[in-house]
Amino acid sequence: MGRGAFSQEEMAGLYQRRFGMVYQICLVLMKNVPDAEDAAQTVFRRVMERGQTFRDPEHEKAWLIVAARNECRNQLKHWWRTRRAGEEAMESLAWEDPRDGEIWDQVADLPQPQRLALYLHYYQGYTTGEIADMLGENPSTVRSRLVQARKKLKLKLEEEGYGQA
């Protein structure tokens, strides 16, 4: 494992290096800015509570990705959230990242496992094998999710005439 607790400077550096990635994962999964911000902050609080530094940059990145996914899952299944709105209302939330525009509107409509696989593969650069290891899944399952996600996105974008002159 790591070599001991984070110093204040090390924690600030970790936050600066990785907050953007953790926040984007939370936004992909939570589909709204306030909940994504809460989840991302909770992930970094857990890093501090963990009390150990990471072995290397890859361990750091993988731990944060899995922690972000788990925190979002926990928040999405929390009793308060499930009583607050029906599943239809949750699925109708708009994607709130203005930098990504129309394509992310379509990505937000994909099922959660496909959204996460797409983000980790195309935006974080992980291979399907690495994603499978991180998420504790079979590599063929991850590949299947990517294929399904690409097909759905292609159909949706073609329907809307995206990229046509």
Side-chain angles (χ1 to χ4, degrees), residues 2-49:
R3 60 177 164 74
F6 282 99
S7 70
Q8 195 169 4
E9 294 80 24
E10 288 172 324
M11 191 65 206
L14 172 67
Y15 189 86
Q16 189 174 22
R17 276 191 315 277
R18 300 294 190 194
F19 182 80
M21 177 196 74
V22 170
Y23 172 75
Q24 284 296 316
I25 290 168
C26 293
L27 191 58
V28 164
L29 299 176
M30 301 301 288
K31 297 202 289 187
N32 71 76
V33 170
D35 289 342
E37 288 172 349
D38 288 347
Q41 292 297 330
T42 300
V43 168
F44 282 93
R45 190 191 77 230
R46 290 217 169 109
V47 170
M48 290 188 299
E49 290 169 353

Side-chain angles (χ1 to χ4, degrees), residues 37-143:
E37 288 172 349
D38 288 347
Q41 292 297 330
T42 300
V43 168
F44 282 93
R45 190 191 77 230
R46 290 217 169 109
V47 170
M48 290 188 299
E49 290 169 353
R50 179 175 181 261
Q52 290 185 325
T53 57
F54 299 102
R55 286 188 307 263
D56 56 46
E58 275 308 307
H59 178 234
E60 170 186 287
K61 193 173 181 182
W63 192 94
L64 289 168
I65 288 169
V66 171
R69 182 207 49 186
N70 291 344
E71 178 58 28
C72 291
R73 275 186 179 170
N74 289 343
Q75 284 190 24
L76 288 168
K77 68 182 177 187
H78 190 271
W79 68 268
W80 178 79
R81 189 177 187 99
T82 58
R83 302 280 189 286
R84 182 175 67 173
E87 189 173 322
E88 302 81 32
M90 296 307 295
E91 291 302 315
S92 69
L93 289 172
W95 185 269
E96 298 181 32
D97 188 348
R99 295 173 298 148
D100 293 325
E102 294 176 42
I103 292 175
W104 274 110
D105 288 340
Q106 302 304 322
V107 172
D109 288 337
L110 294 172
Q112 183 267 342
Q114 292 175 4
R115 283 195 314 264
L116 184 57
L118 211 84
Y119 176 77
L120 292 174
H121 185 68
Y122 290 106
Y123 287 83
Q124 290 297 318
Y126 284 104
T127 67
T128 54
E130 291 168 331
I131 295 167
D133 286 343
M134 268 187 274
L135 303 180
E137 295 174 347
N138 191 313
S140 63
T141 301
V142 174
R143 285 190 295 274

